Amino acid sequence: DLLWGRGKQQFSLDILETSCSSINQNGLHRRIIYHCLHIFSDVYNGTVTFLPLEENSEGKYQIKKCNIYQIQLTHIKDEEWSLSVVAPFPEDWFSDGIAYPKLAWLGNELLSKLAKWSVEQKPNEFKSTLSLISVAKYSKVYQNLKEKYKEMVKVWPEVTDPEKFVYEDVAIATYLLILWEEERKEKGLTKKQSFVDLGCGNGLLVHILNNEGHSGRGIDVRRRKIWDMYGPETHLEESTIMPGDSHLFPDTDWLIGNHSDELTPWIPVIAARSSYSCCYFVLPCCFFDFHGKYSRRQSKKTQYREYLDFVAEVGSVCGFHVEEDCLRIPSTKRVSLIGKKRIYPPAECALIDKQITQYINNRQTCAVVMCDRRVGFNHKDHSDGSCKEEGSELPKNETETAGTTWMPGFQPREKVVQIRNCASLPRDFVDDVVLNVAKLLLSATPPKSCSNMHGGNTDIWNQGESLSLKEVAEHLNKETLKRLKSECGGLQTLLKNNHQVFEVLNGRVHIRDWRKEKPSRKTKPEVKRHLSADAFKTRLCWFFIHHPDGCSLPSESCPYAHGTEDLRQSQVIKKKKHLQ
């Protein structure tokens, strides 16, 4: 109904980027936002056409023809409908990862989400996007910052996706800058707020906030390669943060937890005990409690919603008026929790501190405790009402207990990141899982058979059946599943790593048919084309060896070797060194 307006007249309208908030609630807005959109909705024919407009040097808007696309709703029969997306100029499509979505995202992600949303009847469990700040101001500041820091995408030295991380941090920085500007107006402040980013990771958010005039620093247990690129004006520290009296920040206005993992529930506590004026912003991602991984306690909510409620509850226990908002970022975990106002007077600091202590102890007694004993909570209550006013120093008794940790059982993240993407699993174990899953798909009924033309002879090549990841897992033994669960992504990651054999789409596993693989686009980066060519025929073809019908491609067309005599010596490593 949102897209097609059933029962209404055909219409067309201009929508600026600030006018798509009705779509925001489901995470769609971040991908289809433009400087300006002209949307034509044809109710009779069931189409919605998106015309992106961009401003030229003369201040006039022009249609970006290469990025026009249309969503079509087609009635098949009875209550059966189909959704499709059409791009008239796919070969010229431009994508920057945020404002302009990738075509693959439109086809693989957007359509499935639209289909899901059109039939589900559950209320949205999250607030609308950017509900706490001015959307118009956000859009303007975001475009300015995006233009200012877009070069970071080209020089990103980390292995992570530069488009996602750069534009996500630009969006988070935009949100904080506007939130803080509005706070200064409310409180009559002229000086820009200071901050500390706990678990700052690549440090880009700190870099942007420092550049925009906010004094602050980032702390992380592990130094990143990109830190060296920022310069001395960006303040980053390599240090382990242990929640305790030695990690309080009495002179800091805001604490930030951007995907801060095990520190997330502690940040409201640290803010509450740092000073009465200290505020916090957290963007929870991975689910952690005070003592370790978060354990679900109810099944009526999604795990994400339940965890957000837990972190919000922590903030409330710490005496904050907790506000929730959805950010406009390229992430499924985009709900932030903000504590910028206290619900108690300064004189009740000691009472709140005892309340915090009791709350954490109560949660710890519900967890499994090592050595069959309850680990004590060592923080000394501020019985003297020593919750600091802005600008005040730590009291004497607080200084004397510096170094005391609030929970001895707390486990910070490891400095050396363990590789758990299935790449370190023994080769024979991986080969065995691949063979078993392939046999399962090939023996499933009814099998999908495809005609295969080789040199004029028609063969029937068994493509097997597709199964859900859950169905595949049910056919694997317990020891195999246990071993896979210790890896990030588990079974799905292993199958995706074996790209030659499997294709995993929307939670279903398929045997890959290489005849359907499209040739590399001419726009493929030159380096990747060279590496791909050098890898040709450097590995044995799994289908040639294991598939009952052999490979679906003739030897000259298959990128993998049909037998040892077809193998080429790998040049990839040598080429990579040369390129560096």
Side-chain angles (χ1 to χ4, degrees), residues 23 26 55-56 94 136 145 173 231 266 275 327 339 364 381 389 412 419 424 435 438 443 487 537:
I23 305 178
N26 293 314
E55 190 175 4
N56 60 22
F94 169 76
L145 290 183
W266 285 105
S275 74
L327 304 191
Q364 192 175 7
D381 294 334
E389 294 284 356
I419 299 175
S424 60
L435 190 59
S443 62
E487 302 289 317
K537 298 287 187 183

Side-chain angles (χ1 to χ4, degrees), residues 127-135 175 324-326:
K127 290 194 174 182
S128 59
T129 300
L130 308 181
S131 61
L132 300 180
I133 63 172
S134 166
V135 180
Y175 187 91
E324 179 179 305
D325 204 358
C326 285

Side-chain angles (χ1 to χ4, degrees), residues 302-351:
T302 63
Q303 186 177 17
Y304 184 40
R305 180 69 265 174
E306 182 183 336
Y307 186 68
L308 289 171
D309 290 345
F310 159 62
V311 178
E313 182 180 73
V314 174
S316 298
V317 170
C318 293
F320 288 96
H321 170 63
V322 182
E323 297 178 280
E324 179 179 305
D325 204 358
C326 285
L327 304 191
R328 189 186 291 171
I329 58 175
S331 173
T332 56
K333 305 293 193 303
R334 60 194 195 96
V335 178
S336 64
L337 297 169
I338 301 164
K340 65 176 183 177
K341 296 178 182 178
R342 305 295 174 104
I343 57 176
Y344 64 94
E348 295 181 6
C349 281
L351 181 63

Side-chain angles (χ1 to χ4, degrees), residues 452-459:
N452 188 22
M453 294 293 293
H454 285 177
N457 296 323
T458 303
D459 300 320

Side-chain angles (χ1 to χ4, degrees), residues 100-152:
Y100 299 105
K102 296 178 180 179
L103 274 178
W105 182 85
L106 286 174
N108 298 334
E109 301 292 334
L110 176 61
L111 288 183
S112 61
K113 290 180 184 294
L114 288 176
K116 175 185 175 184
W117 296 335
S118 65
V119 297
E120 67 182 6
Q121 297 181 347
K122 63 178 183 179
N124 198 308
E125 56 185 356
F126 305 114
K127 290 194 174 182
S128 59
T129 300
L130 308 181
S131 61
L132 300 180
I133 63 172
S134 166
V135 180
K137 187 179 294 184
Y138 173 91
S139 300
K140 183 178 180 180
V141 174
Y142 173 76
Q143 292 298 335
N144 291 338
L145 290 183
K146 180 185 169 186
E147 183 68 23
K148 187 174 182 179
Y149 296 100
K150 66 180 182 180
E151 295 301 316
M152 294 296 301

Side-chain angles (χ1 to χ4, degrees), residues 522-535 571-572 575-580:
K522 59 183 179 181
T523 55
K524 191 173 183 180
E526 190 69 23
V527 171
K528 290 188 177 181
R529 285 210 304 272
H530 282 319
L531 294 178
S532 179
D534 286 339
Q571 301 293 319
V572 176
K575 188 69 176 180
K576 282 183 178 178
K577 290 182 179 178
H578 174 70
L579 290 170
Q580 290 173 351

Side-chain angles (χ1 to χ4, degrees), residues 36 61 96 131 158 173 188 196 203 219 221 254-255 263-264 270 279 361 386-387 414 488 522-523 532 578:
C36 182
Y61 281 98
D96 61 6
S131 61
E158 306 292 337
V196 175
I219 306 174
V221 70
W254 281 79
L255 299 184
L263 290 174
T264 297
I270 297 173
C279 309
N361 278 335
S386 58
C387 199
E414 297 176 353
C488 291
K522 59 183 179 181
T523 55
S532 179
H578 174 70

Side-chain angles (χ1 to χ4, degrees), residues 500-566:
Q500 181 190 165
V501 185
F502 303 109
E503 187 176 24
V504 183
L505 292 174
N506 298 322
R508 297 192 70 82
V509 186
H510 310 254
I511 293 287
R512 185 176 295 277
D513 187 349
W514 281 90
R515 293 167 299 178
K516 299 178 181 179
E517 295 297 308
K518 296 181 180 179
S520 300
R521 291 185 179 182
K522 59 183 179 181
T523 55
K524 191 173 183 180
E526 190 69 23
V527 171
K528 290 188 177 181
R529 285 210 304 272
H530 282 319
L531 294 178
S532 179
D534 286 339
F536 187 75
K537 298 287 187 183
T538 58
R539 293 177 59 191
L540 289 171
C541 175
W542 185 93
F543 295 102
F544 180 80
I545 300 172
H546 298 287
H547 195 285
D549 298 329
C551 182
S552 63
L553 294 175
S555 177
E556 59 270 17
S557 301
C558 182
Y560 300 94
H562 285 198
T564 54
E565 66 281 356
D566 200 23

